[in-house]
Amino acid sequence: MADRGFTFLPAPSHDAEVERVLGALASGTANPSTLESQAIDLKEEAGRREESRILPGEPRSEVVAKQLAAEAACLGNTRGGGVIIVGVDGTNGDLIGAVSDVNWLRTRLYQLTDGKVTADIRVADVSGARLLVVAVPQAVEPVPFASKYRHRQGTSCAPITATELMQGLFVDAAADPSNRESGLLLQGVSDGAVASLRRRVMATDRSKASLDLRDLLARLGLLYGDSDTLNLAGEILLGRRSSPALDYIHRSVPGGPSDVRVNVPGLSLLEELDLVEAEYARHNPFREMTSGLGVIRVHAIPERSLREAILNGVCHRDWNQSDPTVIEHIGNQLRVTSPGGFIGDVTAENIITHPSQPRYRALVNAFRQLGLVEQEGVGVDMMVADLIKIGSDPPLIELTDRPAVRAVLSGQPVNAARYQIFTGLRRATADQTVPTEDAADDVDAALLVWRAMNPATAFLTAESCAPLLQRTPADAAHALRRVAGYRIADGLRLLVPIPVPPNTAAAWCLSRSARRALQISRPRHEAATAWVRERGRISSAEYQMIAQVSQPTANTHLRIVALSEGLVPSWPSGRGPGFHYRYPGPEDGNKPEGMPLPFDD
Protein backbone atom coordinates (compact mmCIF):
# COMPACT_ATOMS: atom_id res chain seq x y z
CA MET A 1 0.00 0.00 0.00
CA ALA A 2 1.27 3.48 -0.84
CA ASP A 3 2.21 5.27 2.39
CA ARG A 4 0.97 8.78 1.72
CA GLY A 5 -0.97 11.39 3.64
CA PHE A 6 -4.30 12.80 2.54
CA THR A 7 -4.29 16.12 0.72
CA PHE A 8 -7.10 18.01 -0.93
CA LEU A 9 -6.76 21.64 -1.95
CA PRO A 10 -4.46 23.54 -2.18
CA ALA A 11 -2.53 21.25 -4.51
CA PRO A 12 0.39 19.27 -3.01
CA SER A 13 2.85 21.14 -5.24
CA HIS A 14 2.12 24.35 -3.34
CA ASP A 15 3.57 22.86 -0.15
CA ALA A 16 6.88 22.07 -1.82
CA GLU A 17 6.95 25.48 -3.50
CA VAL A 18 6.21 27.26 -0.22
CA GLU A 19 9.07 25.44 1.53
CA ARG A 20 11.43 26.34 -1.32
CA VAL A 21 10.44 30.03 -1.08
CA LEU A 22 10.75 30.10 2.73
CA GLY A 23 14.20 28.51 2.46
CA ALA A 24 15.28 31.11 -0.07
CA LEU A 25 13.98 33.92 2.13
CA ALA A 26 15.91 32.51 5.08
CA SER A 27 19.13 32.64 3.07
CA GLY A 28 18.77 36.41 2.74
CA THR A 29 19.94 36.42 -0.87
CA ALA A 30 16.66 35.76 -2.68
CA ASN A 31 15.22 38.08 -5.30
CA PRO A 32 11.43 38.31 -4.85
CA SER A 33 10.92 38.51 -8.60
CA THR A 34 12.31 34.97 -8.90
CA LEU A 35 10.28 33.63 -5.97
CA GLU A 36 6.79 34.80 -6.93
CA SER A 37 4.79 32.70 -9.37
CA GLN A 38 1.21 32.06 -10.37
CA ALA A 39 0.72 30.20 -7.09
CA ILE A 40 2.99 32.20 -4.71
CA ASP A 41 2.50 35.86 -3.77
CA LEU A 42 4.75 37.80 -1.37
CA LYS A 43 3.16 40.63 0.59
CA GLU A 44 3.91 42.91 3.50
CA GLU A 45 1.05 43.98 5.71
CA ALA A 46 -0.59 47.18 4.48
CA GLY A 47 -0.14 50.33 6.53
CA ARG A 48 3.17 49.28 8.09
CA ARG A 49 5.33 51.91 6.35
CA GLU A 50 5.90 55.57 7.11
CA GLU A 51 8.41 56.65 4.47
CA SER A 52 11.36 54.31 5.15
CA ARG A 53 10.32 53.43 8.72
CA ILE A 54 8.50 50.18 9.53
CA LEU A 55 5.62 50.71 11.97
CA PRO A 56 4.69 48.19 14.68
CA GLY A 57 1.34 47.28 13.11
CA GLU A 58 -1.89 46.04 14.70
CA PRO A 59 -2.96 42.41 15.24
CA ARG A 60 -6.49 43.25 14.05
CA SER A 61 -6.12 45.75 11.25
CA GLU A 62 -9.04 46.17 8.84
CA VAL A 63 -6.63 47.67 6.32
CA VAL A 64 -4.59 44.47 6.32
CA ALA A 65 -7.71 42.28 6.23
CA LYS A 66 -9.07 44.09 3.15
CA GLN A 67 -5.66 43.99 1.46
CA LEU A 68 -5.33 40.24 1.92
CA ALA A 69 -9.01 39.55 1.15
CA ALA A 70 -8.51 41.16 -2.27
CA GLU A 71 -5.51 38.90 -2.90
CA ALA A 72 -7.34 35.85 -1.56
CA ALA A 73 -10.28 36.50 -3.89
CA CYS A 74 -7.84 36.73 -6.80
CA LEU A 75 -6.21 33.39 -5.91
CA GLY A 76 -9.62 31.79 -5.32
CA ASN A 77 -10.44 32.63 -8.94
CA THR A 78 -7.21 30.98 -10.12
CA ARG A 79 -6.79 27.33 -11.07
CA GLY A 80 -5.38 25.43 -8.11
CA GLY A 81 -5.56 28.47 -5.83
CA GLY A 82 -2.33 29.67 -4.31
CA VAL A 83 -0.46 30.91 -1.25
CA ILE A 84 0.21 34.40 0.12
CA ILE A 85 3.35 34.67 2.24
CA VAL A 86 2.80 37.71 4.44
CA GLY A 87 5.56 39.72 6.08
CA VAL A 88 8.01 40.07 3.18
CA ASP A 89 9.08 43.19 1.31
CA GLY A 90 8.07 42.36 -2.26
CA THR A 91 10.82 44.51 -3.77
CA ASN A 92 13.96 43.33 -1.98
CA GLY A 93 12.93 40.28 0.05
CA ASP A 94 13.54 41.85 3.46
CA LEU A 95 11.77 40.00 6.27
CA ILE A 96 9.51 42.58 7.90
CA GLY A 97 7.38 40.11 9.79
CA ALA A 98 3.60 39.96 10.25
CA VAL A 99 1.68 40.83 13.41
CA SER A 100 -1.87 39.86 12.36
CA ASP A 101 -3.84 37.60 14.68
CA VAL A 102 -4.27 34.31 12.79
CA ASN A 103 -7.76 33.37 14.00
CA TRP A 104 -9.12 36.87 13.55
CA LEU A 105 -7.61 37.20 10.08
CA ARG A 106 -9.00 33.85 8.96
CA THR A 107 -12.48 34.93 10.04
CA ARG A 108 -12.23 38.34 8.38
CA LEU A 109 -11.06 36.84 5.08
CA TYR A 110 -14.08 34.55 5.15
CA GLN A 111 -16.42 37.45 5.93
CA LEU A 112 -14.92 39.87 3.42
CA THR A 113 -15.24 37.29 0.62
CA ASP A 114 -18.89 36.58 1.50
CA GLY A 115 -18.03 33.10 2.75
CA LYS A 116 -16.52 32.02 -0.57
CA VAL A 117 -12.90 31.72 0.65
CA THR A 118 -11.81 29.77 3.71
CA ALA A 119 -8.07 30.26 4.00
CA ASP A 120 -5.77 27.96 5.95
CA ILE A 121 -3.29 30.19 7.81
CA ARG A 122 -0.17 29.08 9.66
CA VAL A 123 2.74 30.92 11.23
CA ALA A 124 6.26 30.33 9.88
CA ASP A 125 9.37 31.47 11.76
CA VAL A 126 11.99 32.45 9.19
CA SER A 127 15.28 33.74 10.55
CA GLY A 128 13.47 35.10 13.61
CA ALA A 129 10.74 36.82 11.60
CA ARG A 130 7.11 35.81 12.10
CA LEU A 131 5.60 35.23 8.66
CA LEU A 132 2.07 34.10 7.79
CA VAL A 133 1.47 31.43 5.17
CA VAL A 134 -2.05 32.00 3.86
CA ALA A 135 -3.14 29.04 1.73
CA VAL A 136 -6.12 29.89 -0.48
CA PRO A 137 -7.96 27.03 -2.23
CA GLN A 138 -9.51 27.36 -5.64
CA ALA A 139 -13.07 28.47 -4.91
CA VAL A 140 -16.17 26.58 -6.01
CA GLU A 141 -17.73 29.68 -7.55
CA PRO A 142 -16.40 33.08 -8.73
CA VAL A 143 -15.25 35.30 -5.86
CA PRO A 144 -15.75 39.06 -6.18
CA PHE A 145 -14.05 41.67 -4.04
CA ALA A 146 -15.28 45.26 -4.01
CA SER A 147 -17.76 44.20 -6.74
CA LYS A 148 -14.92 43.24 -9.11
CA TYR A 149 -13.44 39.92 -10.21
CA ARG A 150 -9.71 39.29 -10.63
CA HIS A 151 -7.58 36.22 -11.21
CA ARG A 152 -3.89 35.47 -11.10
CA GLN A 153 -1.96 35.84 -14.33
CA GLY A 154 1.74 35.23 -13.92
CA THR A 155 2.78 37.12 -10.80
CA SER A 156 -0.06 39.66 -10.67
CA CYS A 157 -3.82 39.86 -10.55
CA ALA A 158 -5.74 40.85 -13.67
CA PRO A 159 -9.40 41.79 -14.16
CA ILE A 160 -11.84 39.17 -15.43
CA THR A 161 -15.62 38.94 -15.63
CA ALA A 162 -17.84 36.49 -13.79
CA THR A 163 -19.06 35.21 -17.17
CA GLU A 164 -15.50 34.46 -18.29
CA LEU A 165 -14.82 32.63 -15.03
CA MET A 166 -17.97 30.53 -15.33
CA GLN A 167 -17.20 29.67 -18.95
CA GLY A 168 -13.59 28.81 -18.14
CA LEU A 169 -12.23 27.87 -14.74
CA PHE A 170 -15.56 27.12 -13.07
CA VAL A 171 -17.21 25.04 -15.79
CA ASP A 172 -16.15 21.85 -14.02
CA ALA A 173 -14.93 23.10 -10.67
CA ALA A 174 -18.15 24.87 -9.70
CA ALA A 175 -20.12 21.81 -10.71
CA ASP A 176 -18.17 19.57 -8.37
CA PRO A 177 -14.64 20.12 -7.05
CA SER A 178 -14.66 16.67 -5.41
CA ASN A 179 -14.78 15.05 -8.85
CA ARG A 180 -11.29 16.25 -9.76
CA GLU A 181 -8.39 13.86 -10.12
CA SER A 182 -6.59 12.88 -6.92
CA GLY A 183 -3.16 11.40 -6.40
CA LEU A 184 -4.48 8.07 -5.11
CA LEU A 185 -4.35 5.04 -7.39
CA LEU A 186 -6.73 2.11 -7.09
CA GLN A 187 -3.99 -0.18 -5.81
CA GLY A 188 -3.10 2.39 -3.14
CA VAL A 189 -6.38 1.90 -1.23
CA SER A 190 -5.67 0.05 2.02
CA ASP A 191 -7.18 -3.34 2.89
CA GLY A 192 -8.86 -1.79 5.92
CA ALA A 193 -10.57 0.87 3.81
CA VAL A 194 -11.76 -1.74 1.31
CA ALA A 195 -13.13 -3.96 4.09
CA SER A 196 -15.04 -1.03 5.63
CA LEU A 197 -16.39 -0.04 2.22
CA ARG A 198 -17.64 -3.55 1.46
CA ARG A 199 -19.33 -3.88 4.87
CA ARG A 200 -21.34 -0.75 4.19
CA VAL A 201 -22.21 -1.87 0.68
CA MET A 202 -23.47 -5.20 2.01
CA ALA A 203 -25.72 -3.38 4.46
CA THR A 204 -27.22 -1.00 1.89
CA ASP A 205 -27.11 -2.55 -1.59
CA ARG A 206 -26.25 -6.23 -1.93
CA SER A 207 -26.40 -5.96 -5.73
CA LYS A 208 -23.02 -4.21 -5.60
CA ALA A 209 -21.44 -6.61 -3.10
CA SER A 210 -19.97 -8.99 -5.69
CA LEU A 211 -18.40 -6.26 -7.86
CA ASP A 212 -14.63 -6.06 -8.05
CA LEU A 213 -13.12 -2.96 -6.45
CA ARG A 214 -12.74 -0.96 -9.66
CA ASP A 215 -16.33 -1.55 -10.75
CA LEU A 216 -17.60 -0.85 -7.22
CA LEU A 217 -15.78 2.47 -7.03
CA ALA A 218 -17.03 3.39 -10.50
CA ARG A 219 -20.63 2.64 -9.45
CA LEU A 220 -20.16 4.81 -6.38
CA GLY A 221 -18.75 7.66 -8.48
CA LEU A 222 -15.35 7.57 -6.79
CA LEU A 223 -13.09 7.13 -9.84
CA TYR A 224 -11.72 9.90 -12.01
CA GLY A 225 -13.24 9.23 -15.40
CA ASP A 226 -12.30 5.81 -16.81
CA SER A 227 -8.90 5.75 -15.12
CA ASP A 228 -7.59 3.70 -12.23
CA THR A 229 -7.14 6.90 -10.22
CA LEU A 230 -9.66 7.91 -7.59
CA ASN A 231 -11.28 11.31 -7.71
CA LEU A 232 -10.95 13.56 -4.69
CA ALA A 233 -14.20 12.25 -3.20
CA GLY A 234 -12.71 8.75 -3.33
CA GLU A 235 -9.49 9.95 -1.72
CA ILE A 236 -11.43 11.71 1.06
CA LEU A 237 -13.28 8.48 1.86
CA LEU A 238 -10.58 5.87 1.26
CA GLY A 239 -7.20 7.59 1.35
CA ARG A 240 -5.06 6.96 4.40
CA ARG A 241 -4.18 10.19 6.16
CA SER A 242 -1.36 11.17 8.51
CA SER A 243 -3.62 13.37 10.67
CA PRO A 244 -7.12 12.18 11.65
CA ALA A 245 -10.22 13.63 10.00
CA LEU A 246 -12.31 12.98 13.15
CA ASP A 247 -11.71 13.82 16.79
CA TYR A 248 -14.34 12.21 19.05
CA ILE A 249 -14.34 13.00 22.77
CA HIS A 250 -16.77 11.55 25.31
CA ARG A 251 -17.31 13.02 28.78
CA SER A 252 -19.92 11.84 31.25
CA VAL A 253 -20.55 15.37 32.56
CA PRO A 254 -19.64 18.89 31.36
CA GLY A 255 -16.18 19.83 32.55
CA GLY A 256 -15.36 16.24 33.48
CA PRO A 257 -12.37 14.31 32.17
CA SER A 258 -12.68 12.57 28.84
CA ASP A 259 -13.18 8.82 29.28
CA VAL A 260 -13.06 8.03 25.55
CA ARG A 261 -11.08 9.65 22.76
CA VAL A 262 -11.00 8.55 19.13
CA ASN A 263 -8.23 10.40 17.31
CA VAL A 264 -6.35 7.81 15.28
CA PRO A 265 -3.91 8.67 12.47
CA GLY A 266 -3.08 6.32 9.61
CA LEU A 267 -6.67 5.32 8.75
CA SER A 268 -9.13 6.15 6.02
CA LEU A 269 -12.21 8.25 6.80
CA LEU A 270 -14.45 5.17 6.56
CA GLU A 271 -12.35 3.36 9.16
CA GLU A 272 -12.42 6.38 11.46
CA LEU A 273 -16.21 6.48 11.13
CA ASP A 274 -16.39 2.80 12.13
CA LEU A 275 -14.54 3.58 15.37
CA VAL A 276 -16.58 6.68 16.18
CA GLU A 277 -19.91 4.94 15.48
CA ALA A 278 -19.02 2.15 17.91
CA GLU A 279 -18.26 4.67 20.68
CA TYR A 280 -21.23 6.99 20.29
CA ALA A 281 -23.59 4.00 20.18
CA ARG A 282 -22.09 2.75 23.44
CA HIS A 283 -22.65 6.10 25.18
CA ASN A 284 -26.18 6.93 24.02
CA PRO A 285 -28.63 5.46 26.59
CA PHE A 286 -32.14 4.46 25.56
CA ARG A 287 -35.57 3.84 27.02
CA GLU A 288 -37.84 1.07 25.80
CA MET A 289 -41.39 2.07 24.91
CA THR A 290 -44.42 0.19 23.68
CA SER A 291 -45.46 1.06 20.15
CA GLY A 292 -48.46 -0.85 18.85
CA LEU A 293 -47.74 -4.53 19.49
CA GLY A 294 -43.99 -4.06 19.66
CA VAL A 295 -41.32 -2.47 21.83
CA ILE A 296 -39.01 0.22 20.49
CA ARG A 297 -35.86 1.80 21.84
CA VAL A 298 -35.82 5.60 22.03
CA HIS A 299 -32.34 7.01 22.62
CA ALA A 300 -31.51 10.08 24.70
CA ILE A 301 -30.06 11.62 21.55
CA PRO A 302 -32.25 10.32 18.71
CA GLU A 303 -30.08 7.77 16.94
CA ARG A 304 -30.58 8.91 13.35
CA SER A 305 -30.19 12.59 14.35
CA LEU A 306 -26.91 11.90 16.17
CA ARG A 307 -25.65 10.00 13.15
CA GLU A 308 -26.81 12.68 10.71
CA ALA A 309 -25.20 15.50 12.71
CA ILE A 310 -21.83 13.74 12.67
CA LEU A 311 -21.98 12.74 9.01
CA ASN A 312 -23.18 16.18 7.91
CA GLY A 313 -20.19 17.57 9.78
CA VAL A 314 -17.98 15.31 7.68
CA CYS A 315 -19.38 15.41 4.17
CA HIS A 316 -20.40 19.11 4.13
CA ARG A 317 -17.28 20.48 5.81
CA ASP A 318 -14.59 22.41 3.97
CA TRP A 319 -11.98 19.80 3.04
CA ASN A 320 -9.49 22.52 2.20
CA GLN A 321 -8.97 22.85 5.95
CA SER A 322 -6.60 20.53 7.78
CA ASP A 323 -8.46 20.64 11.13
CA PRO A 324 -10.51 17.57 12.07
CA THR A 325 -14.27 17.51 12.51
CA VAL A 326 -14.59 17.65 16.31
CA ILE A 327 -17.32 15.57 17.96
CA GLU A 328 -17.90 16.32 21.65
CA HIS A 329 -20.29 13.86 23.29
CA ILE A 330 -21.00 15.18 26.78
CA GLY A 331 -23.68 13.31 28.72
CA ASN A 332 -26.81 13.64 26.60
CA GLN A 333 -25.46 16.50 24.49
CA LEU A 334 -23.63 16.25 21.18
CA ARG A 335 -21.57 19.11 19.71
CA VAL A 336 -20.21 18.69 16.20
CA THR A 337 -17.87 21.39 14.91
CA SER A 338 -16.92 21.11 11.24
CA PRO A 339 -14.28 23.33 9.61
CA GLY A 340 -15.47 25.90 7.09
CA GLY A 341 -18.57 28.05 6.95
CA PHE A 342 -21.89 27.57 5.25
CA ILE A 343 -21.84 27.10 1.49
CA GLY A 344 -23.39 29.61 -0.93
CA ASP A 345 -26.25 31.57 0.60
CA VAL A 346 -27.12 28.98 3.25
CA THR A 347 -27.25 30.52 6.75
CA ALA A 348 -28.28 29.44 10.23
CA GLU A 349 -31.50 31.38 9.65
CA ASN A 350 -32.57 29.45 6.52
CA ILE A 351 -30.87 26.06 6.87
CA ILE A 352 -34.14 24.19 7.50
CA THR A 353 -35.86 25.38 4.32
CA HIS A 354 -32.96 26.22 1.98
CA PRO A 355 -32.51 23.71 -0.87
CA SER A 356 -29.56 21.40 -0.32
CA GLN A 357 -26.35 22.96 -1.63
CA PRO A 358 -23.45 20.52 -1.09
CA ARG A 359 -19.88 21.64 -1.61
CA TYR A 360 -18.87 18.24 -2.94
CA ARG A 361 -21.55 16.47 -4.91
CA ALA A 362 -19.56 13.32 -5.74
CA LEU A 363 -18.70 12.92 -2.07
CA VAL A 364 -22.28 13.46 -0.85
CA ASN A 365 -23.59 11.07 -3.53
CA ALA A 366 -21.21 8.35 -2.34
CA PHE A 367 -22.22 8.96 1.29
CA ARG A 368 -25.84 8.56 0.28
CA GLN A 369 -25.27 5.37 -1.69
CA LEU A 370 -23.43 3.89 1.29
CA GLY A 371 -26.35 4.73 3.58
CA LEU A 372 -24.29 7.24 5.54
CA VAL A 373 -26.64 10.20 5.13
CA GLU A 374 -30.35 10.64 4.51
CA GLN A 375 -31.82 11.67 1.18
CA GLU A 376 -30.79 15.10 0.02
CA GLY A 377 -32.20 18.07 1.88
CA VAL A 378 -33.84 16.34 4.88
CA GLY A 379 -31.04 16.02 7.44
CA VAL A 380 -31.62 19.21 9.45
CA ASP A 381 -35.42 18.86 9.21
CA MET A 382 -35.14 15.37 10.67
CA MET A 383 -32.92 16.47 13.56
CA VAL A 384 -35.40 19.22 14.48
CA ALA A 385 -38.41 16.88 14.41
CA ASP A 386 -36.62 14.07 16.28
CA LEU A 387 -35.42 16.24 19.16
CA ILE A 388 -38.77 17.96 19.69
CA LYS A 389 -40.52 14.59 19.51
CA ILE A 390 -38.63 13.26 22.56
CA GLY A 391 -39.39 16.45 24.52
CA SER A 392 -36.18 18.39 23.89
CA ASP A 393 -35.49 21.67 22.08
CA PRO A 394 -34.54 22.00 18.40
CA PRO A 395 -30.81 21.72 17.62
CA LEU A 396 -28.67 24.84 17.71
CA ILE A 397 -26.82 25.35 14.42
CA GLU A 398 -24.45 28.30 14.31
CA LEU A 399 -21.47 29.76 12.48
CA THR A 400 -18.43 30.22 14.71
CA ASP A 401 -15.69 32.77 14.22
CA ARG A 402 -13.07 30.30 12.97
CA PRO A 403 -15.14 29.93 10.64
CA ALA A 404 -16.76 26.59 11.36
CA VAL A 405 -20.31 25.29 11.56
CA ARG A 406 -21.34 23.96 14.96
CA ALA A 407 -24.41 21.78 15.54
CA VAL A 408 -25.52 21.23 19.14
CA LEU A 409 -28.06 18.48 19.89
CA SER A 410 -29.32 18.50 23.47
CA GLY A 411 -30.96 15.16 24.12
CA GLN A 412 -32.77 13.81 27.16
CA PRO A 413 -34.59 10.69 28.33
CA VAL A 414 -37.69 10.53 26.17
CA ASN A 415 -40.85 12.26 27.41
CA ALA A 416 -43.32 9.46 26.69
CA ALA A 417 -46.40 11.69 26.54
CA ARG A 418 -44.89 13.99 23.94
CA TYR A 419 -43.38 11.15 21.95
CA GLN A 420 -46.74 9.40 21.69
CA ILE A 421 -48.50 12.59 20.58
CA PHE A 422 -46.18 12.95 17.60
CA THR A 423 -46.07 9.29 16.62
CA GLY A 424 -49.86 9.12 16.86
CA LEU A 425 -50.72 12.14 14.72
CA ARG A 426 -53.43 11.60 12.10
CA ARG A 427 -54.73 13.68 9.24
CA ALA A 428 -58.48 14.29 9.25
CA THR A 429 -60.60 13.44 6.21
CA ALA A 430 -64.27 14.15 5.59
CA ASP A 431 -65.55 11.19 7.61
CA GLN A 432 -62.59 9.71 9.48
CA THR A 433 -59.02 10.16 10.58
CA VAL A 434 -56.42 8.21 8.70
CA PRO A 435 -52.84 7.38 9.77
CA THR A 436 -50.32 9.86 8.44
CA GLU A 437 -46.93 8.22 8.03
CA ASP A 438 -45.09 11.48 7.52
CA ALA A 439 -46.71 13.39 10.40
CA ALA A 440 -44.16 12.25 12.98
CA ASP A 441 -41.36 13.69 10.80
CA ASP A 442 -43.25 16.88 9.89
CA VAL A 443 -40.79 19.60 10.92
CA ASP A 444 -43.46 22.31 10.68
CA ALA A 445 -45.75 20.41 13.05
CA ALA A 446 -42.88 19.79 15.47
CA LEU A 447 -41.83 23.45 15.55
CA LEU A 448 -45.37 24.76 15.86
CA VAL A 449 -46.22 22.43 18.74
CA TRP A 450 -42.88 23.25 20.40
CA ARG A 451 -43.67 26.96 20.21
CA ALA A 452 -47.26 26.51 21.37
CA MET A 453 -46.07 24.48 24.40
CA ASN A 454 -44.13 27.51 25.65
CA PRO A 455 -46.50 29.39 27.96
CA ALA A 456 -45.12 32.73 26.75
CA THR A 457 -45.64 31.97 23.02
CA ALA A 458 -48.80 29.92 23.15
CA PHE A 459 -50.56 31.39 20.11
CA LEU A 460 -49.61 30.64 16.52
CA THR A 461 -49.91 33.15 13.69
CA ALA A 462 -48.20 33.34 10.33
CA GLU A 463 -46.41 36.53 11.37
CA SER A 464 -45.08 35.21 14.68
CA CYS A 465 -44.17 31.75 13.36
CA ALA A 466 -42.51 32.70 10.06
CA PRO A 467 -38.98 33.19 11.53
CA LEU A 468 -39.24 29.93 13.48
CA LEU A 469 -40.33 27.95 10.41
CA GLN A 470 -37.77 29.84 8.28
CA ARG A 471 -40.51 30.66 5.80
CA THR A 472 -42.28 33.72 4.47
CA PRO A 473 -45.47 34.71 6.32
CA ALA A 474 -47.51 33.41 3.36
CA ASP A 475 -45.77 30.01 3.50
CA ALA A 476 -46.09 29.97 7.29
CA ALA A 477 -49.84 30.56 6.94
CA HIS A 478 -50.09 27.55 4.61
CA ALA A 479 -48.09 25.40 7.07
CA LEU A 480 -50.39 26.46 9.92
CA ARG A 481 -53.52 25.50 7.99
CA ARG A 482 -52.00 22.12 7.12
CA VAL A 483 -50.90 21.31 10.67
CA ALA A 484 -54.26 22.49 12.02
CA GLY A 485 -55.73 19.55 10.09
CA TYR A 486 -53.87 16.99 12.22
CA ARG A 487 -55.67 15.02 14.92
CA ILE A 488 -54.36 13.33 18.05
CA ALA A 489 -55.83 10.21 19.70
CA ASP A 490 -59.56 9.61 19.31
CA GLY A 491 -59.74 12.15 16.51
CA LEU A 492 -59.32 15.15 18.86
CA ARG A 493 -57.88 18.35 17.45
CA LEU A 494 -54.22 19.18 17.79
CA LEU A 495 -54.79 22.91 17.26
CA VAL A 496 -57.92 25.00 17.64
CA PRO A 497 -58.60 28.40 16.06
CA ILE A 498 -58.61 31.54 18.19
CA PRO A 499 -61.72 33.65 17.48
CA VAL A 500 -60.57 36.76 15.63
CA PRO A 501 -62.49 39.54 13.89
CA PRO A 502 -63.46 39.03 10.23
CA ASN A 503 -60.83 39.92 7.63
CA THR A 504 -57.93 39.51 10.06
CA ALA A 505 -55.17 36.94 9.99
CA ALA A 506 -56.04 33.52 11.39
CA ALA A 507 -54.53 32.27 14.63
CA TRP A 508 -54.39 28.95 16.48
CA CYS A 509 -53.35 27.49 19.82
CA LEU A 510 -53.09 23.97 21.25
CA SER A 511 -56.42 22.39 22.10
CA ARG A 512 -57.19 21.57 25.72
CA SER A 513 -56.99 17.87 24.81
CA ALA A 514 -53.56 18.33 23.29
CA ARG A 515 -52.34 20.29 26.32
CA ARG A 516 -53.54 17.56 28.65
CA ALA A 517 -51.95 14.84 26.50
CA LEU A 518 -48.69 16.78 26.37
CA GLN A 519 -48.83 17.29 30.14
CA ILE A 520 -48.04 20.99 29.98
CA SER A 521 -49.31 23.89 32.06
CA ARG A 522 -51.64 26.52 30.68
CA PRO A 523 -50.08 29.59 29.06
CA ARG A 524 -48.78 32.51 31.08
CA HIS A 525 -49.96 36.08 30.79
CA GLU A 526 -46.94 36.86 28.55
CA ALA A 527 -48.75 35.09 25.71
CA ALA A 528 -51.64 37.57 25.94
CA THR A 529 -49.18 40.47 26.09
CA ALA A 530 -47.40 39.15 22.98
CA TRP A 531 -50.77 38.85 21.25
CA VAL A 532 -51.57 42.50 22.02
CA ARG A 533 -48.20 43.64 20.74
CA GLU A 534 -48.59 41.72 17.48
CA ARG A 535 -52.29 42.47 16.89
CA GLY A 536 -52.68 45.84 18.58
CA ARG A 537 -55.86 44.63 20.28
CA ILE A 538 -57.32 41.85 22.39
CA SER A 539 -60.84 40.73 23.29
CA SER A 540 -62.14 38.63 26.17
CA ALA A 541 -62.80 35.69 23.82
CA GLU A 542 -59.25 35.90 22.43
CA TYR A 543 -57.75 36.06 25.92
CA GLN A 544 -59.89 33.17 27.10
CA MET A 545 -58.64 30.93 24.31
CA ILE A 546 -54.99 32.04 24.50
CA ALA A 547 -54.69 31.74 28.28
CA GLN A 548 -56.98 28.69 28.57
CA VAL A 549 -59.06 30.27 31.38
CA SER A 550 -62.76 30.73 32.06
CA GLN A 551 -64.63 33.77 30.81
CA PRO A 552 -64.86 35.47 34.26
CA THR A 553 -61.13 34.96 34.80
CA ALA A 554 -60.44 36.22 31.29
CA ASN A 555 -62.46 39.41 31.96
CA THR A 556 -60.56 40.06 35.20
CA HIS A 557 -57.11 39.37 33.79
CA LEU A 558 -57.84 41.29 30.62
CA ARG A 559 -58.46 44.48 32.57
CA ILE A 560 -55.07 44.05 34.25
CA VAL A 561 -53.35 43.42 30.91
CA ALA A 562 -55.03 46.53 29.51
CA LEU A 563 -53.70 48.59 32.41
CA SER A 564 -50.22 47.10 32.07
CA GLU A 565 -50.01 47.72 28.32
CA GLY A 566 -51.72 51.11 28.37
CA LEU A 567 -54.69 49.87 26.34
CA VAL A 568 -57.99 51.69 26.01
CA PRO A 569 -61.50 50.19 25.68
CA SER A 570 -63.02 50.10 22.22
CA TRP A 571 -66.04 51.90 23.65
CA PRO A 572 -66.79 53.43 27.05
CA SER A 573 -69.38 50.90 28.24
CA GLY A 574 -66.70 48.24 28.46
CA ARG A 575 -69.00 45.43 27.35
CA GLY A 576 -71.08 44.10 24.49
CA PRO A 577 -70.49 42.07 21.33
CA GLY A 578 -67.17 42.88 19.69
CA PHE A 579 -65.83 44.76 22.69
CA HIS A 580 -62.04 44.72 22.96
CA TYR A 581 -59.06 46.68 24.22
CA ARG A 582 -56.65 48.35 21.83
CA TYR A 583 -53.66 50.62 21.77
CA PRO A 584 -54.74 54.27 21.78
CA GLY A 585 -54.76 56.24 18.54
CA PRO A 586 -54.38 59.99 17.92
CA GLU A 587 -57.99 60.49 18.88
CA ASP A 588 -57.27 59.11 22.37
CA GLY A 589 -54.41 61.44 23.21
CA ASN A 590 -51.13 60.09 24.59
CA LYS A 591 -50.86 56.39 25.30
CA PRO A 592 -51.09 55.72 29.07
CA GLU A 593 -47.88 54.58 30.67
CA GLY A 594 -47.86 50.83 31.26
CA MET A 595 -47.21 49.14 34.57
CA PRO A 596 -46.02 45.67 35.63
CA LEU A 597 -48.60 42.91 35.69
CA PRO A 598 -49.67 42.26 39.31
CA PHE A 599 -50.39 38.57 38.79
CA ASP A 600 -48.61 35.49 37.54
CA ASP A 601 -50.73 32.51 36.58
Side-chain angles (χ1 to χ4, degrees), residues 335-380:
R335 292 204 301 256
V336 181
T337 305
S338 54
F342 294 110
I343 185 69
D345 52 1
V346 176
T347 67
E349 289 71 37
N350 66 14
I351 194 168
I352 294 175
T353 55
H354 196 286
S356 179
Q357 197 169 347
R359 274 188 178 88
Y360 311 116
R361 274 191 274 276
L363 179 63
V364 172
N365 179 62
F367 266 67
R368 193 170 298 115
Q369 289 193 71
L370 292 172
L372 287 166
V373 295
E374 293 287 327
Q375 65 189 72
E376 189 167 352
V378 300
V380 176

Side-chain angles (χ1 to χ4, degrees), residues 25-68:
L25 290 171
S27 72
T29 59
N31 182 347
S33 64
T34 64
L35 297 181
E36 288 192 316
S37 65
Q38 174 129 333
I40 303 294
D41 191 12
L42 302 180
K43 284 284 181 288
E44 66 178 69
E45 291 171 318
R48 294 282 305 276
R49 286 187 180 272
E50 188 177 84
E51 297 179 349
S52 60
R53 188 163 64 97
I54 303 298
L55 302 177
E58 300 175 5
R60 299 189 174 192
S61 166
E62 276 298 306
V63 174
V64 172
K66 290 178 179 178
Q67 168 208 19
L68 296 180

